[in-house]
Amino acid sequence: MTDATSSLSSPQTGEAGFGDYVALLKPRVMTLVVFTAFVGLVVAPGQMHPMVAFTAILFIALGGGASGALNMWWDADIDRVMRRTRSRPIPSGKVREDEALAVGLALSGISVVMLGLAANPFAGLFLAFTIFFYVVIYTMWLKRWTPQNIVIGGAAGAFPPMIGWAAATGGIAVESVLMFALIFMWTPPHFWALALFMKSDYKDAGVPMLTVTHGRPATRRHILIYTVLLVPVALGLALTSIGGPVYLATALVMNAAFVKGAIGIARRTEAQAEADSYKVEKSFFRLSLYYLFAHFGALLVDASLVRAGWEVF
């Protein structure tokens, strides 16, 4: 990592508070991690004691936060360049890089060991692999090396429902793989839409995002391609043991809206996007957030109906 040594001695603008360390854990990302892991745990077959389930989700969340802290530690140099990341704890001078590294390593160890003890060893090892994948494979390697960074690296953000499932069952099943695939295929159009209206941030930071290496028109086409490929994955979940009428209806509506949005993006020129301040791209990005929460929320509703004794299919 460049400038790591010099930045350790950079002056701080103020003493770090509790909120700064929370921000170091990327709480917005943790929200997605917690929710999808929780859904994976709840829809899995069998029963877990509520306290064990709560403990498992807590340590999965801590593992996600640890990944965020280590990501910020490694990416401190580019975070100082990008406008949307300049206010993060390290670039703003609130938290030193060595502190972020210590927090990330400590939480990684605690979360992995405790999840293994609370749930089962397989779940703990799965969490350890996920942290490794996000920090080493994605952050340290793919992110600055290839425009496929988001495509391949997106696997790290797709593992939480599989970890939740593993915590409940001790293994992997087609249902957990499809939940993984749903997030995996959703990640590229989600982030590429963000890259379109972030303009020069990734170029300034030297990050080979698709908008930088292949141009914006190509990025728009890729968004449409991945959105179309996402549809059968999303609908396929409805055909598994965890699917139900609520999920099927949600998937049909949300995927129709998502494909429509992706077509709108693919048809637009940069001149049109500049004219309305990337209104369509920003709308698609917001829709992508609702998309994922809607799908996993629907799985949760169907599982709740089954547990309440309702026959869903």
Side-chain angles (χ1 to χ4, degrees):
M1 182 177 59
T2 59
D3 298 327
T5 303
S6 61
S7 59
L8 285 173
S9 59
S10 59
Q12 287 183 278
T13 59
E15 187 174 348
F18 178 75
D20 297 312
Y21 289 106
V22 172
L24 192 67
L25 307 183
K26 294 190 173 182
R28 291 184 180 179
V29 176
M30 281 180 65
T31 301
L32 179 62
V33 168
V34 169
F35 181 61
T36 57
F38 175 73
V39 173
L41 186 149
V42 170
V43 303
Q47 293 281 349
M48 287 186 76
H49 190 282
M51 185 55 68
V52 176
F54 171 79
T55 304
I57 294 301
L58 173 63
F59 289 115
I60 292 172
L62 282 181
S67 299
L70 293 172
N71 171 269
M72 287 198 191
W73 161 70
W74 185 264
D75 277 350
D77 56 334
I78 62 175
D79 281 351
R80 294 186 179 95
V81 176
M82 297 176 65
R83 286 170 296 175
R84 75 181 184 91
T85 57
R86 287 174 185 168
S87 61
R88 285 178 173 176
I90 296 176
S92 64
K94 297 290 181 62
V95 177
R96 297 198 316 268
E97 289 181 37
D98 58 341
E99 292 176 329
L101 175 61
V103 168
L105 291 176
L107 290 182
S108 294
I110 292 170
S111 61
V112 167
V113 171
M114 293 306 296
L115 179 61
L117 293 174
N120 57 75
F122 178 74
L125 291 173
F126 204 158
L127 179 60
F129 172 75
T130 300
I131 295 172
F132 171 82
F133 192 97
Y134 182 71
V135 176
V136 178
I137 303 299
Y138 169 66
T139 303
M140 295 183 177
W141 178 35
L142 295 173
K143 185 173 183 177
R144 308 190 192 204
W145 176 64
T146 172
Q148 296 300 308
N149 46 21
I150 289 300
V151 177
I152 306 171
F159 284 132
M162 293 189 73
I163 302 174
W165 183 283
T169 67
I172 295 172
V174 63
E175 291 87 351
S176 67
V177 172
L178 281 174
M179 285 189 286
F180 163 88
L182 177 65
I183 303 176
F184 182 78
M185 295 301 296
W186 162 89
T187 301
H190 167 72
F191 274 100
W192 285 333
L194 174 67
L196 284 173
F197 63 81
M198 287 309 298
K199 305 185 80 171
S200 64
D201 258 18
Y202 291 107
K203 182 178 181 180
D204 294 342
V207 177
M209 190 61 75
L210 195 66
T211 49
V212 177
T213 61
H214 290 66
R216 293 172 180 275
T219 302
R220 294 176 183 279
R221 291 192 297 271
H222 275 72
I223 288 174
L224 177 57
I225 291 170
Y226 272 85
T227 299
V228 171
L229 293 175
L230 172 62
V231 173
V233 175
L235 296 180
L237 255 176
L239 304 178
T240 68
S241 65
I242 62 175
V246 176
Y247 176 82
L248 179 59
T250 300
L252 288 171
V253 172
M254 293 303 297
N255 281 276
F258 213 46
V259 170
K260 180 181 177 182
I263 292 173
I265 285 181
R267 288 177 173 175
R268 284 182 33 110
T269 65
E270 278 305 301
Q272 292 172 320
E274 289 279 359
D276 62 10
S277 299
Y278 293 86
K279 180 180 179 180
V280 173
E281 291 77 7
K282 291 176 181 178
S283 177
F284 182 84
F285 178 75
R286 287 192 297 271
L287 175 63
S288 71
L289 296 173
Y290 298 135
Y291 177 97
L292 203 61
F293 278 100
H295 279 75
F296 277 87
L299 288 174
L300 194 59
V301 171
D302 278 329
S304 300
L305 292 175
V306 170
R307 293 179 188 274
W310 290 70
E311 291 293 333
V312 294
F313 267 148

